[in-house]
Amino acid sequence: MEIFERLESEVRSYCRSWPVVFNEARGSYVYDESGRPYLDFFAGAGSLNYGHNHPELKSKLIDYLMSDAIVHSLDAYSTAKRDFLATFGETILGPRGLDYKVQFPGPAGNNAVEAALKLARKYTGRETVISFTNGFHGMTLGALAVTGNSMKRGGAGVPLSHSATMPFDRYMDGQTPDFLWLRSLLEDSGSGLDAPAAVIVETVQGEGGINVASAEWLRGLQEVCHEYDMLLIVDDIQMGCGRTGPFFSFETAGIEPDIVTLSKSISGYGLPMALTLFKRELDVWEPGEHNGTFRGPNPGFVTGAEAMRLFWRDDALQKGTEAKGELLDRGLRAVAEELGPDEAHVRGRGMARGLVLERPGAAKALSREAFERGLLLETSGPEDEVAKLLPALTTTEQELEEGLEIIADAARAAMKTPQPA
């Protein structure tokens, strides 16, 4: 590993938790260069909802590349883009009654968020965007300004402004009625809160610790947005593309955001790709007003369209994800019950689940122990107190059971190990 130590920046992080060199990946497993398999409950931080190297997606991609079809096209028209847009409209937007325009803002989720924030400000003529405690929206300056984590915000090097933070669902443990604080600030001319352009929210906070917003809370948030002429932006970058069951994580709440950001699994294959979706009347961009060199990812269009055809023509994947999510919930609750109510509890929805360990350092220790036993998972939450599970939606029940057994063993080992204060 000397080459990594010598040439790669100290900013690298996941490799510190998983100190091996990975070489192959198939389905729900990745393999190091010695051939040792690791069951993957990380799935590219939610970028591989359909697993590694799905054979039908891979076949489509290889055929496309071997035909000398165009790979890089910025925002010029291409046959791959046409097929993606047609499939997205027919398979995703149409059946849900969503009349969204589609913007390709660049290759990553932060590009989608930056476009959403800029568009909201341009359309409303306002500057402030409201975000929520423990929210995470990306590492570029605009996205960091609406992100809660102090360590990530501290890396900006400049003041992060034009944003205001409000408590996420149950942040106040039910002691304050939902949106009382927000409504009070909006109604009071002396509050110091400038009229907001928009609110940005995750329905399930992934990096923030698998915090799940209730459907009632999300409907209340939409109501406040409508009442005060604020746009509602749902960041579905990690929780979209079926992670919670439906294609969009907000569907079960019965809301219709003004703007939606997607990335991670939208390409279906782990290829860089992002979308910013918005209601038709919000399309006030001038040509080229928000652009980027890599906003025409034709290989991603190819695998993304094929993924929609394979997995979203019916509700089989959604039902499977919901059932597997219940399996994960039962397994994690058994672990939490064994550890005791003062030590652990469970959060999550669909196949985004978290085991919250109250003892400082315990979740990181569990992650290390799981890696030693052949399972990849990460931690999240403001203090890295949550062991976070994001297995591919195609992971089999047998593989999920295997992973849960490893987690149970890892939790026992972690709780026996003295943790740093």
Side-chain angles (χ1 to χ4, degrees):
M1 298 189 191
E2 183 271 339
I3 188 67
F4 304 112
E5 298 282 343
R6 179 163 53 87
L7 286 183
E8 191 176 3
S9 166
E10 292 300 315
V11 78
R12 62 192 188 276
S13 61
Y14 288 115
C15 57
R16 300 180 191 276
S17 299
W18 307 326
V20 295
V21 178
F22 293 115
N23 187 37
E24 298 178 33
R26 285 181 293 279
S28 297
Y29 287 88
V30 295
Y31 302 81
D32 67 22
E33 58 186 349
S34 74
R36 183 185 178 185
Y38 293 84
L39 182 57
D40 188 1
F41 275 21
F42 174 65
S47 297
L48 296 160
N49 281 3
Y50 315 114
H52 294 272
N53 285 308
H54 189 283
E56 291 176 82
L57 301 182
K58 179 170 62 177
S59 177
K60 278 284 182 180
L61 177 60
I62 290 172
D63 288 347
Y64 184 81
L65 295 175
M66 292 300 292
S67 72
D68 285 338
I70 189 166
V71 169
H72 185 278
S73 60
L74 288 93
D75 70 352
Y77 298 146
S78 71
T79 54
K81 181 195 283 189
R82 181 171 59 198
D83 183 47
F84 177 87
L85 285 170
T87 307
F88 191 68
E90 294 165 6
T91 307
I92 305 301
L93 297 182
R96 292 161 179 79
L98 297 171
D99 187 23
Y100 287 142
K101 296 291 286 293
V102 180
Q103 179 180 357
F104 301 101
N110 63 285
N111 299 105
V113 169
E114 296 289 349
L117 299 178
K118 286 171 65 174
L119 181 61
R121 288 169 172 142
K122 178 178 174 65
Y123 181 81
T124 63
R126 303 173 184 177
E127 297 178 351
T128 301
V129 174
I130 291 173
S131 57
F132 292 93
T133 50
N134 292 313
F136 177 79
H137 301 285
M139 299 295 280
T140 46
L141 290 180
L144 273 180
V146 291
T147 287
N149 186 283
S150 61
M151 183 275 286
K152 293 180 173 64
R153 289 175 63 89
V158 296
L160 299 171
S161 57
H162 304 302
S163 62
T165 304
M166 296 294 155
F168 191 71
D169 192 14
R170 289 185 290 276
Y171 183 80
M172 305 297 289
D173 293 327
Q175 298 174 35
T176 303
D178 288 344
F179 309 116
L180 175 62
W181 176 241
L182 175 56
R183 283 184 182 277
S184 298
L185 292 177
L186 291 169
E187 293 169 359
D188 184 359
S189 60
S191 70
L193 177 65
D194 296 324
V199 170
I200 186 167
V201 68
E202 303 155 275
T203 67
V204 181
Q205 294 181 326
E207 295 299 307
I210 311 295
N211 305 309
V212 181
S214 68
E216 294 76 17
W217 188 86
L218 290 167
R219 287 193 289 269
L221 178 60
Q222 180 174 259
E223 181 182 326
V224 173
C225 287
H226 289 171
E227 186 176 347
Y228 290 93
D229 297 319
M230 302 180 296
L231 299 181
L232 176 60
I233 305 169
V234 168
D235 181 339
D236 233 5
I237 288 166
Q238 188 165 86
M239 296 300 159
C241 302
R243 174 56 53 185
T244 67
F247 186 87
F248 295 108
S249 70
F250 56 81
E251 290 181 49
T252 51
I255 65 173
E256 188 174 313
D258 299 293
I259 304 176
V260 181
T261 59
L262 289 173
S263 187
K264 291 193 182 285
S265 280
I266 189 61
S267 78
Y269 202 73
L271 298 174
M273 183 175 174
L275 310 180
T276 304
L277 314 177
F278 39 83
K279 291 183 177 177
R280 190 165 293 272
E281 63 270 21
L282 302 184
D283 194 8
V284 294
W285 289 120
E286 296 292 333
E289 192 172 8
H290 184 89
N291 59 26
T293 303
F294 294 102
R295 66 193 189 279
N298 288 279
F301 293 152
V302 170
T303 53
E306 187 65 10
M308 287 185 280
R309 286 189 283 264
L310 284 173
F311 295 106
W312 294 104
R313 293 289 191 190
D314 56 32
D315 62 359
L317 181 68
Q318 176 177 338
K319 289 181 176 179
T321 297
E322 291 167 347
K324 292 172 184 177
E326 291 301 315
L327 186 159
L328 288 172
D329 185 66
R330 290 192 299 272
L332 291 178
R333 289 188 185 281
V335 175
E337 184 176 346
E338 179 181 335
L339 297 178
D342 294 332
E343 292 284 4
H345 62 279
V346 176
R347 300 176 186 154
R349 186 174 146 217
M351 290 180 74
R353 299 285 168 171
L355 179 65
V356 186
L357 298 177
E358 301 293 345
R359 195 180 304 180
K364 281 191 170 183
L366 186 154
S367 179
R368 288 193 299 271
E369 295 287 349
F371 172 75
E372 293 299 326
R373 290 162 173 77
L375 176 70
L376 304 182
L377 54 81
E378 67 171 333
T379 59
S380 69
E383 305 298 331
D384 280 319
E385 74 279 14
V386 182
K388 178 182 175 186
L389 283 65
L390 293 176
L393 310 185
T394 52
T395 306
T396 67
E397 291 189 4
Q398 182 179 349
E399 289 167 339
L400 294 177
E401 294 281 10
E402 177 187 343
L404 288 167
E405 289 178 10
I406 293 174
I407 289 170
D409 288 341
R412 296 181 194 110
M415 300 308 275
K416 290 177 182 177
T417 306
Q419 306 303 323

